[in-house]
Amino acid sequence: ATISRFLPTTTPQPSTARKLLIGDDDWERNDLSALRLLNAFRPRSDSATLPPPPLSFSVEAFLLLEREMCVLESPHPYAQIQMEKVIQIEGAVALAVMFDARCSTDDDDHLCIREGKSDGPEVFCTSGKFSSSLRHPLSQIVVNSDTLHCSFKGGHSGWGFRFVVVPILDVGTATKTVDEKMDQFELCVSADDSWTPDMDEEVVRICQQQWRREGVGPFVANPALTFADDDDRMRVKTRHVPLLCLRHRVALVQLFNALLVTSLLRTVDLSQRKRDGSIASCLTSVRHLIFSEVKAAYLSSISAVVVEKAKKSGSTLPEVSIVRGEGKSIFEQVFGQLRHVRAGALRRKDMGFLVQLEGEGAEGDNGPYREVMTSIAEELSSCRPTGQRRSLFLPSLNGSSTSLSMRKDRILLRPKILSDEKMRVEMVGRLIGLSLLHNHFFPLPFSSGVWKALCHQSATIEDLRDVDDQFVQSMFQLRDIHLSRVVGGENIVGITEETFDDLFFETFVTRLSDGSEVPLMNDGENKPVTFAARGLFVDLALRARLNENCEAVECLKQGLASIIPAEAMSLFDWREVEDMINGVEGVDIELLRQHTKPSASFQTPEGAQLIEWFWKVLESFDASQREAFLRFVWGRSRLPRQQEFGEDFKIHLMDVQEGSADRKLPKADTCFFALHLPLYTNEEVLRTRLLFAVLHCADMDADFDPGAHARGRDQQEPRRDREGEGRRGGDGSDNSSEEEEEGDE
């Protein structure tokens, strides 16, 4: 009776097809509930620990650990399948159905969920392409019964479907569950009394890593199965916490995210994040608790609105003409043609601008666009000057470090930028915004401080160490110069005030990352650093270095905000922003294989053998060769994450004259993420031809007739994006003689 008054008493209504686990479609109530949990999770300036959550949420989280969860899924992948399944959970007043983020079926497939038996009312039905990534991340189907019937008829898919069924319990059953395990419940509640923000951050990080490994979404994951034994070594802040209490905290975080999705994220004004005490300010303070999938869905919904608004404006998609060759900067060409184009004209679906590669040919628009974006990112990351113009970015000063634990490929913004460079940095910000808008990678190895600035996080000394560790160490050594220490087994006596002036001759001036010097105070050039003032000098020098590129950062943020609303970035952690824009380094062959669809031509014994050789060859490639392969077939150098894969890789069998396959090179359609392979006679030939194509073919359709291009696209023969006949690009036809092909190779 004590517990029952804290439990929800409402039951889902039949008229509502999609509700959340709490079984209540009242937004005002959800807003209040979300605010109560937000208040329990947000850090306090006057206390290291967090207040305990409301008891009602502790009860609901405990019930999540005790509820029976049923999983229904198709084979992965599946082919020509027809299945029916009835799920019944006794004691449930309703069943919540939540789909896995990877769900993907074909155009002719049919999935249906009914209430009760096979003749019950239809609750959810879909025909054709279905992917849960297109759905709201927490959208779920509520079946107002303790029984559901699922039927599925499908032809072929790269993955299939999976969903979890969770019971919604009545008050009596829930009360009995808690009363029977009151000692365990009280243990969970007592652990909440000493919880800290750092513990929450560790719990969420470990859980999300586990769920990604297992391929389940955060709302489909069973909290009672989190924290496997092999995760114990990853626990630092929570090592002393009992496993049950950790899982209870996971359930609380799941509830919090559920309430965010259903109410608060739809209504809060994040532009008020700088106002102390505002809901937006509190929400950004717990960004570490918000699941990455929730943030991505929030950004996706904003992007959809941005694209729709640009579409209604009636503006046409701008087109840029690119000439590739020695000494020609692709970024400068894009900048010159887009610098006066309104940002609104770039906010279109799939791509920000059309690309015409002069002297080359390609069918479709996506491939050339991805190719140009990837090329610009590589060009900017190289930090090489273009002609008479210096590079926009600087390489990390840690580049010459011998430390194995330090990133040496970081790039940073210049401390002092010229007026014409401001517009160029702003253009880079626009391109970053387009990569977020279209979910295309734009790999730039910025320092952590730059990424933090883009998502409105404050930089720390560790961010300065990320680009200039030697400077940070020297400042700390100066600050502690009075302390005696042991170096290499030798006792080093600390410096005293009497000897300091004989050893230190600096003034209040520091050197920035570009080598220029700036005073740290008025007339700093003429003010010597004394023993007593060394602490002030260190503080001012560190602050100057942390803020040295503020002007360039503002230009970058302005460019980004012209594509994506600035407040949308405030929910993200800098590591998430870096991953969204850069992708994950390395090409995961197993992930690519899961999202590959060979054509029906490979169903013969010879075709199946060729596919087997292909994967063996690809697995034997090193990291740079794998990136080159992906660039060859898709125009990008990084794969999306498992839950973000929106397009399958397709492999087709090339139609060639009998006996000539071994002399042919593979071809690719970057617009359609497709590879065309001749029927090679052995694995070594396949390896040689494929490796040659991906490493030596840099242009799109280099044998393309410029005269035909000048006469207009409608007068040209159809072409594919990339052809490996000694070049990248082409029409997919056998245009060269066998002697010419051998000569090209």
Side-chain angles (χ1 to χ4, degrees):
T2 305
I3 296 297
S4 63
R5 62 191 180 92
F6 294 106
L7 297 174
T9 57
T10 56
T11 301
Q13 299 301 313
S15 59
T16 305
R18 297 180 183 179
K19 292 174 182 279
L20 297 172
L21 190 59
I22 55 176
D24 183 8
D25 202 35
D26 186 345
W27 278 28
E28 291 184 3
R29 179 186 173 190
N30 289 353
D31 272 334
L32 179 59
S33 298
L35 289 174
R36 292 172 66 196
L37 261 187
L38 175 60
N39 186 57
F41 280 127
R42 69 180 181 88
R44 300 313 204 261
S45 58
D46 58 345
S47 175
T49 60
L50 299 172
L55 186 58
S56 58
F57 291 107
S58 295
V59 171
E60 185 67 15
F62 188 76
L63 290 175
L64 281 176
L65 297 177
E66 299 299 322
R67 290 178 183 177
E68 176 186 2
M69 299 180 71
C70 298
V71 179
L72 182 60
E73 59 186 323
S74 68
H76 310 294
Y78 65 88
Q80 302 301 325
I81 185 175
Q82 186 167 350
M83 57 183 291
E84 293 190 26
K85 180 73 174 180
V86 174
I87 294 179
Q88 183 176 19
I89 301 180
E90 295 183 1
V93 295
L95 302 176
V97 179
M98 296 175 286
F99 284 91
D100 191 293
R102 292 177 294 175
C103 291
S104 179
T105 59
D106 265 355
D107 293 337
D108 298 326
D109 297 346
H110 184 81
L111 175 67
C112 185
I113 296 177
R114 295 179 179 274
E115 181 182 312
K117 305 292 183 168
S118 58
D119 57 349
E122 185 179 286
V123 179
F124 174 79
C125 186
T126 180
S127 296
K129 187 72 174 179
F130 163 66
S131 175
S132 65
S133 61
L134 302 178
R135 299 161 56 87
H136 199 281
L138 201 60
S139 285
Q140 61 182 314
I141 300 148
V142 172
V143 178
N144 294 298
S145 170
D146 65 351
T147 306
L148 67 79
H149 175 273
C150 174
S151 61
F152 179 67
K153 183 178 182 181
H156 173 82
S157 172
W159 200 80
F161 75 88
R162 173 192 288 161
F163 61 79
V164 174
V165 181
V166 181
I168 298 176
L169 306 178
D170 61 21
V171 175
T173 304
T175 302
K176 182 180 179 181
T177 301
V178 175
D179 287 343
E180 288 177 349
K181 300 187 177 183
M182 183 59 72
D183 55 339
Q184 297 181 18
F185 175 70
E186 290 178 345
L187 177 64
C188 294
V189 172
S190 63
D192 290 333
D193 292 336
S194 57
W195 213 269
T196 66
D198 288 343
M199 294 167 66
D200 271 334
E201 186 171 2
E202 183 175 271
V203 165
V204 173
R205 175 175 50 81
I206 293 175
C207 285
Q208 292 209 126
Q209 290 174 354
Q210 177 184 336
W211 295 335
R212 288 186 185 121
R213 288 196 306 269
E214 297 172 351
V216 297
F219 298 109
V220 179
N222 187 343
L225 300 179
T226 54
F227 287 97
D229 292 339
D230 61 344
D231 286 331
D232 288 347
R233 65 182 182 274
M234 302 174 63
R235 291 164 49 192
V236 178
K237 307 290 185 181
T238 59
R239 189 166 294 169
H240 65 285
V241 181
L243 193 59
L244 176 64
C245 300
L246 285 174
R247 291 170 172 170
H248 181 259
R249 194 71 181 184
V250 173
L252 276 172
V253 176
Q254 285 180 311
L255 288 174
F256 175 60
N257 278 266
L259 290 169
L260 286 183
V261 172
T262 54
S263 60
L264 209 53
L265 279 183
R266 305 184 189 186
T267 56
V268 69
D269 182 8
L270 289 175
S271 66
Q272 303 296 313
R273 65 187 181 280
K274 294 183 180 180
R275 288 180 51 194
D276 291 338
S278 66
I279 296 176
S281 174
C282 295
L283 200 55
T284 55
S285 71
V286 297
R287 66 177 84 194
H288 58 278
L289 287 179
I290 305 175
F291 295 141
S292 298
E293 290 80 357
V294 172
K295 299 175 187 178
Y298 176 73
L299 184 61
S300 178
S301 64
I302 290 179
S303 299
V305 174
V306 166
V307 169
E308 186 63 26
K309 186 176 180 180
K311 181 180 178 181
K312 291 180 179 179
S313 69
S315 58
T316 58
L317 196 62
E319 181 172 341
V320 298
S321 178
I322 302 296
V323 178
R324 297 200 283 184
E326 286 294 328
K328 295 186 180 296
S329 167
I330 295 179
F331 172 73
E332 286 296 326
Q333 294 179 68
V334 170
F335 171 74
Q337 296 173 67
L338 295 181
R339 60 184 299 183
H340 298 303
V341 175
R342 292 184 307 103
L346 305 176
R347 297 193 294 257
R348 305 300 292 273
K349 186 179 181 181
D350 297 329
M351 67 191 74
F353 49 89
L354 297 171
V355 173
Q356 181 61 54
L357 298 173
E358 295 296 337
E360 305 176 42
E363 183 184 66
D365 300 314
N366 284 292
Y369 175 74
R370 286 194 294 261
E371 172 74 17
V372 164
M373 290 286 281
T374 302
S375 297
I376 290 175
E378 290 178 350
E379 180 184 315
L380 294 173
S381 300
S382 70
C383 296
R384 290 193 296 265
T386 304
Q388 300 299 316
R389 187 176 298 282
R390 66 180 186 175
S391 63
L392 276 182
F393 308 127
L394 294 171
S396 167
L397 297 177
N398 288 336
S400 58
S401 172
T402 57
S403 173
L404 298 177
S405 62
M406 194 170 294
R407 283 286 300 269
K408 303 175 185 179
D409 62 339
R410 295 290 197 187
I411 61 176
L412 54 153
L413 302 175
R414 287 185 175 274
K416 299 177 181 178
I417 58 174
L418 307 175
S419 57
D420 62 331
E421 290 175 332
K422 293 180 181 179
M423 296 182 64
R424 286 171 169 79
V425 174
E426 186 174 335
M427 178 60 71
V428 175
R430 285 190 177 189
L431 296 178
I432 291 174
L434 290 176
S435 74
L436 290 172
L437 188 68
H438 302 131
N439 199 24
H440 292 165
F441 296 136
F442 190 60
L444 290 172
F446 278 135
S447 63
S448 57
V450 176
W451 295 121
K452 282 187 174 181
L454 294 183
C455 56
H456 313 289
Q457 286 181 295
S458 300
T460 66
I461 298 299
E462 290 304 312
D463 301 308
L464 182 54
R465 195 188 295 274
D466 189 41
V467 294
D468 195 350
D469 183 60
Q470 187 176 355
F471 173 79
V472 175
Q473 287 189 41
S474 67
M475 289 296 102
F476 287 168
Q477 289 171 1
L478 175 59
R479 185 190 61 189
D480 299 331
I481 201 170
H482 63 291
L483 301 176
S484 298
R485 58 196 183 280
V486 178
V487 179
E490 182 180 355
N491 290 324
I492 305 297
V493 180
I495 302 299
T496 64
E497 186 171 1
E498 289 73 22
T499 57
F500 183 84
D501 292 339
D502 297 330
L503 299 172
F504 199 80
F505 308 100
E506 296 293 328
T507 58
F508 274 83
V509 173
T510 194
R511 180 169 295 180
L512 304 181
S513 56
D514 62 352
S516 62
E517 294 185 342
V518 295
L520 298 176
M521 58 174 59
N522 291 335
D523 198 30
E525 306 93 328
N526 300 315
K527 293 182 178 180
V529 178
T530 64
F531 182 83
R534 73 187 189 284
L536 175 62
F537 172 79
V538 169
D539 291 342
L540 292 177
L542 291 173
R543 186 183 307 169
R545 288 297 306 275
L546 281 173
N547 298 316
E548 66 176 8
N549 53 17
C550 284
E551 189 176 19
V553 164
E554 284 305 312
C555 293
L556 196 69
K557 290 168 67 175
Q558 285 178 15
L560 175 60
S562 69
I563 304 297
I564 297 289
E567 59 267 20
M569 306 304 298
S570 60
L571 288 181
F572 291 89
D573 177 79
W574 71 269
R575 296 177 186 83
E576 294 171 321
V577 175
E578 182 182 30
D579 287 348
M580 284 193 302
I581 295 171
N582 287 354
V584 180
E585 289 188 60
V587 178
D588 186 342
I589 301 301
E590 183 56 35
L591 176 61
L592 178 64
R593 192 168 189 164
Q594 292 176 15
H595 293 273
T596 297
K597 283 187 177 182
S599 67
S601 307
F602 290 98
Q603 294 180 359
T604 63
E606 296 83 3
Q609 181 67 72
L610 183 65
I611 290 295
E612 183 180 344
W613 289 339
F614 169 75
W615 290 116
K616 285 184 179 179
V617 166
L618 210 54
E619 287 171 352
S620 71
F621 282 3
D622 61 29
S624 62
Q625 292 168 342
R626 291 183 182 189
E627 286 194 7
F629 168 78
L630 195 61
R631 183 86 172 267
F632 179 73
V633 298
W634 209 9
R636 57 199 293 179
S637 57
R638 308 281 176 91
L639 283 175
R641 293 186 184 277
Q642 173 71 270
Q643 63 270 24
E644 297 165 355
F645 239 105
E647 183 177 9
D648 287 329
F649 173 45
K650 296 163 281 290
I651 307 178
H652 302 289
L653 193 62
M654 188 186 298
D655 187 14
V656 299
Q657 294 180 354
E658 186 175 354
S660 66
D662 285 355
R663 293 192 296 272
K664 302 296 181 182
L665 292 169
K667 305 175 183 180
D669 294 329
T670 57
C671 283
F672 306 106
F673 195 13
L675 177 68
H676 299 255
L677 285 175
L679 189 59
Y680 295 120
T681 56
N682 61 68
E683 182 179 334
E684 186 56 34
V685 172
L686 170 59
R687 176 183 172 80
T688 302
R689 297 302 191 212
L690 183 60
L691 196 57
F692 179 85
V694 303
L695 295 182
H696 295 85
C697 305
D699 297 320
M700 288 193 174
D701 193 15
D703 59 346
F704 158 65
D705 177 13
H709 173 61
R711 294 189 295 272
R713 292 185 180 183
D714 57 334
Q715 299 181 31
Q716 300 173 31
E717 293 296 323
R719 293 177 299 279
R720 292 199 175 96
D721 283 344
R722 302 199 184 282
E723 180 179 10
E725 303 292 345
R727 306 160 282 278
R728 213 186 267 184
D731 58 3
S733 60
D734 185 13
N735 294 327
S736 304
S737 68
E738 295 172 9
E739 289 79 6
E740 289 174 334
E741 290 164 10
E742 293 172 356
D744 286 340
E745 185 171 338

